[in-house]
Amino acid sequence: MKESYLSTLLQMRMLVGFLGERAQCAWWPTAFYEASSRLFLEPVFSKTSRLAQYHGVLEAARRLHDEHLSVGSYHLFRLPEEIEQDLHVIVQSSEGEGLANGAPQSKEAALDALKNLAGTSDNASVGPTAVGSIKDIDSTDTQKAIAAAYLSAFNQNAKTYPYLVK
């Protein structure tokens, strides 16, 4: 069960990270998931270029969310330390490689994948939006609410910052 919710969080991070980049919805000015970034990253990070992509987008998204949310709240890109460590281990594993290699090739594919994670949940919101408590991060309903908030924002060309309280 634990691995399942962590995989879902990681997939959601990669999808929202991809969609937030400048070539898609331009929430942050990075281009880590563009083909040209590999030409830049591979000479510097020859064995860990996928990990560098992941952490580059993670940091860009984390900064944007932190600017709009209060200190002490959690969000998709800033989770409790033990969860962050578990996600880092998965990214470095073969499962993480599979997720990274399966990164969306288009905005439409990413939106479809995010729609699958959101299910039938409809969470139309703009700006900071409370979606639950951090103790429920492993709950399917909480994860669907997060995915639905992002999906709605990307479809409306708006920005949302779903967060979890302690």
Side-chain angles (χ1 to χ4, degrees):
M1 167 104 183
K2 180 180 179 182
E3 291 76 21
S4 173
Y5 95 87
L6 290 171
S7 294
T8 302
L9 284 175
L10 184 58
Q11 182 183 13
M12 204 179 323
R13 270 187 175 181
M14 290 184 170
L15 291 169
V16 173
F18 173 82
L19 288 165
E21 287 206 303
R22 71 176 178 213
Q24 283 67 247
C25 297
W27 284 21
W28 42 85
T30 63
F32 285 102
Y33 286 120
E34 288 182 15
S36 61
S37 77
R38 294 189 73 191
L39 298 172
F40 170 76
L41 292 171
E42 285 181 351
V44 180
F45 303 100
S46 60
K47 295 183 180 180
T48 58
S49 63
R50 296 240 185 250
L51 192 60
Q53 278 180 315
Y54 168 76
H55 281 289
V57 169
L58 176 64
E59 188 59 29
R62 183 176 288 158
R63 287 179 183 195
L64 179 73
H65 282 69
D66 286 350
E67 287 174 10
H68 291 87
L69 297 171
S70 63
V71 174
S73 60
Y74 294 104
H75 52 80
L76 181 60
F77 300 99
R78 180 176 302 283
L79 296 167
E81 187 60 31
E82 55 276 3
I83 296 174
E84 291 289 353
Q85 289 175 359
D86 290 344
L87 289 171
H88 183 78
V89 168
I90 293 172
V91 169
Q92 290 181 303
S93 72
S94 57
E95 180 185 355
E97 276 294 311
L99 282 170
N101 289 331
Q105 300 302 311
S106 70
K107 181 178 177 179
E108 293 73 26
L111 288 170
D112 285 345
L114 195 56
K115 186 175 184 176
N116 289 337
L117 291 177
T120 57
S121 182
D122 184 29
N123 190 359
S125 62
V126 175
T129 305
V131 292
S133 170
I134 191 62
K135 67 179 174 36
D136 298 324
I137 189 66
D138 58 348
S139 156
T140 304
D141 290 340
T142 300
Q143 291 182 350
K144 283 182 177 184
I146 294 168
Y150 284 116
L151 179 64
S152 174
F154 288 130
N155 284 331
Q156 295 175 30
N157 199 23
K159 291 182 183 174
T160 189
Y161 310 98
Y163 67 93
L164 301 152
V165 295
K166 287 186 180 179

